[in-house]
Amino acid sequence: MNRKAWRTWLPWVSLGVAVVAALVAAGAYVVLRAFEPPVRIALAVALVGLATFLYLEPHRVRRWLTGREARYGSNALVMSLAFVGILAALNYLVTLYPQRWDLTEDQRNTLAPEIQELLGQLETPVKAYAFYSANINRDFARETLDKFVQASDGKFTYEFVDPIVNPTLAQEYGVTRDGTVVLVMGERREQVPFLSDEEIANALARLMRPEERVVYFITGHGEGDIETLGDAGYSMLKEELTNRNFTVRTWSLPAEGRLPDDADVVVLAGPQQALTPAEQKALEDYLANGGSAIFLFNTSVEGAAEPSADLAAYLAQNWFIQVDDDVVVDTSSPQQPLIAVGIPTQRHPVTQNLAGLVVLFPVARSVRPLDGAPGTLTVQALVQTSDRAWGEMDLTAFNTSTPQGAQVAFDPDTDLAGPVPLVVVAHDTLTNARVVVIGDADFVRNGFYQAYGNGLLLLDAVDWAAGQENLISITPKPQTQRFLKPMAGQGLALLALSSICLLPGAVLIVGGVVWFRRRMRR
Amino acid sequence: MRAIWIIARREFRRYFTSPVGYLVLFLYLFILGLIVNNSLQQAYAFSLFQGAPPPNSDIIIGPMLTLLVFSIPALTMRLLAGEQAAGTLELLLTAPVRDWELIVGKWLGAFLFVLVLLALTLIYPLALHLLIEPGLDWGPVISGYLGLLLVSAALLALGVAISAMFRNQVAAFAVTLAVFLFLWMVSSLAGAGNPSEGVLRYLDFGNHFYNAFFRGVIDLQGIVYYLSVTAFGLLVGTVIIESRRWRG
C-alpha cells in the first residue's frame, strides 16, 4: 500500500524538482555568467530528477514520445521553430543593413553632411560615455548620440553611466558636471560639456587629429596661481583645461624675457605688478606674429597695476579695446552691488554654450570695444551687465578706509552708463591673432569657478583663442520657425470643449442609438 | 482567402454592435482629447514667454501608443475566448475554414477596427495644423501613424494568440495586458554592460516606435520587427487552435 503510494507521487515530485532545478541553474547562470559550482549543482539535481522520472514512468514517456499527440505536436513544433528561425534571421539581417528615412521637414534626425563625412573618416572605434544621473532627462542625449551611432557604421558607440551610482568612473574621466559626455578613443579622451551635434563633431575631430595644444599662464607679476587649491587659486580652471586635452604650463616672463614659441594661448591673469617695457614689447611682438592672448584685469582699487597706461594705450590703438579705470556697480543684486552680473549678448563661439547662464564678476572694471577698427579686425563685446549697472569713475569712495564703506551714486556726466560691457574679443583676420579682454580676474578663481557660467566662459574663451572652436565648420540647417496663432480666452475654452467633448460625445451617441435600436428589435 | 474576408467582416461589424467597441472608442478618444487639450492649454500659457517652441505632433502621437497598449487587450479578449466560452469554436472548426484563415480573419477584423479608431484621431493633427503658423510638420505625423499601425498589427496578433489560449475573457484580457507591459518594459531589465542588453532592447516594442517612427523616421528595422511579431502572434494562435484537433 505504502509502496504504491510513493510510486504515484515520487515521479511527479522528481519531475517538479527537475524543472525547478533547471530554472535555478538558468537563473544562476544569468547572474554569475560562468559555469560555476551553483550552476553545476542545480544542473545535476535537474538531471537526477529527470532520470528518476524516466525510470519510474517509462510507459508514460514512451506514450508521450510516440503517441498521436507527440506526432502532431512535434510537427507543429518543428514548423514553428523553422518559422521563428526565419523571422530571427530576417531581423538579424536588417540590423546588419539598417535603412532609415527621415521624413521631418528640417531633417532633424539626420546629421549634417560635414559630420557624416567626418564619421566616414573614423578608423579607430570611439566610445562615448554619457554621464547622466537619474535626475536629468536622457531623451535628447539618446536622440543625439543615436544619430552618430547610425551614421558611423559601428565605429561610434555609447553608454549611459549614472555618476551617482558609479562615481569612480566619473572621477576617472574628470567629470564634474551632470550631463557631461566623454568621448574615448584608445587612450585619448575628450569632454563634451554641452551636447549638440556640432560639439560632438568638434570633439571627434580633436580626437582624430591629435596635436598638443598648450596654454601658458604668465607668472612673475603676482598673477593667480594655477596650482593653488584654495578659493584664491586657479586649480579648477587648470583641471578642466586638462580635461579638454590642453597642456597647461606656467611661463615666467621676467625670467625668460620673451614669450614661448609653442604657445597656442597665453593668459595674463590679474597681474599685481606692471610689466616692464621690454616685457610689453615681447607681448606685442607675440601678438603681431599671430599669437593669441587672454587678459584678465582686476580693478585698480584691488591693487592691480595692469593695464598700465602703456598697455591700455596699446590695446586701444592696436586692438580697439578700451579698458577703463573704473568699478562696475550693479544694483541688480542690491546686497552685493560690486558683483557685476554679466549677460551674454552676442552669439559667438565663446558664449554659445552659456545658454541662458549669467557670469558673476566680483569687482569688475568695464571693457569696451572702440569704433573705427579696420576691416581686417573684428571687435565684439560679448558679455555686458543689465542697464541697472554703471561704471563708477570716481574711485575715491572705494579707496577710503572708513568702515562705513563706499557711498556711490550714478553721475551721468562722468560715469559710464549701463549696460556696461565686460568681455571683449578681437580677431585679426590677417594674422589670425586673437585677443580676449575681461574686466575681472577673480571670476574664475576656485571660489567663483562653479558659479553659473563662470568657468564655461573662460574655457570656451581659451578654445576660441586657440583657434579650436570649430575644427569642422557646419553650414547651419535652415530651421522652420513655427508659432502658435494667438487665441483669446474664449477660443481656448472652445478648443477644450471641442477636443474633449465633440468626438467622444459623437461616438457615445452613435453607440447609444445602435444599442437602443437593437433593444427595440428584440 | 474568401473565408478570411468573411470572418474579418463579421468581426469588424460585431465591434459596432457590441458595447465594447463603442466603449473602447469613447475612452480612447476622450482620454486622448484630455491629454491633447492639456498640452495645448499649457503651450498657450507658455507662448506668452518668448522663444517657447510651439507644440508639435508629439503631443498627439506620444500618448497614443500607451492608450493602444491598454485598449487592444479589450479588443482581442473576446475574439477566440468568447467563441470557446459560447461553444461556437467547435462549429467554426468543422466549417470549411482552415485554422490559419480563422486566426488571420479574426486578427484582420480587429485591425480594421483599430484602423477606424486611428482614422478618427486624425482630427487632432488637423486641428493642430490650423492652430500653428505656418502649419504642422507632416513628416512625423505620417511616420508616427505608420508606426502606430505597425504596433497595432503586432499587438493585435499577440492578443489573438493569447485569446486562443483561454475560455475566460477576463483572463485573456489580464494575460494580454501583462504580456504587453512585459514587452514594453523588457529593455529596463537589461543593466548596463549586460551582454543580453542589445537583444532585450531590440525586443522592446516601445523602443522601435519612440526611437524612430515617433521622431519622424521610418526605420526598416522597426518595420521588420513589428511584422515579425505580427507573423509570430498569428503563428502561435494557429498552432494553438490546431492543437485542439489532436490534444487529448
Side-chain angles (χ1 to χ4, degrees), chain A residues 222-233:
Chain A
E223 292 91 345
D225 184 25
I226 55 167
E227 304 295 345
T228 305
L229 295 173
D231 273 0

Side-chain angles (χ1 to χ4, degrees), chain A residues 89-99 153, chain B residues 202 221:
Chain A
L90 260 177
N91 278 274
Y92 181 66
L93 267 178
V94 286
T95 58
L96 294 183
Y97 304 101
Q99 279 292 330
D153 200 15
Chain B
Y202 190 83
Q221 214 176 68

Side-chain angles (χ1 to χ4, degrees), chain A residues 311-355:
Chain A
L311 187 56
Y314 164 73
L315 286 174
Q317 278 159 22
N318 288 274
W319 296 96
F320 293 84
I321 299 174
Q322 170 75 38
V323 186
D324 295 309
D325 186 16
D326 61 353
V327 172
V328 177
V329 181
D330 191 341
T331 56
S332 60
S333 51
Q335 282 81 30
Q336 292 166 310
L338 293 187
I339 293 187
V341 181
I343 305 159
T345 52
Q346 294 256 6
R347 195 168 159 72
H348 189 273
V350 173
T351 48
Q352 68 183 2
N353 289 327
L354 288 177

Side-chain angles (χ1 to χ4, degrees), chain A residues 399-446:
Chain A
N399 289 328
T400 177
S401 53
T402 48
Q404 282 84 4
Q407 289 295 321
V408 292
F410 176 60
D411 177 353
D413 293 334
T414 52
D415 293 340
L416 179 67
V420 183
L422 297 162
V423 177
V424 176
V425 296
H427 182 200
D428 187 335
T429 46
L430 279 183
T431 62
N432 202 23
R434 297 171 186 216
V435 167
V436 181
V437 182
I438 301 176
D440 184 38
D442 303 323
F443 77 106
V444 278
R445 291 190 199 272
N446 294 342

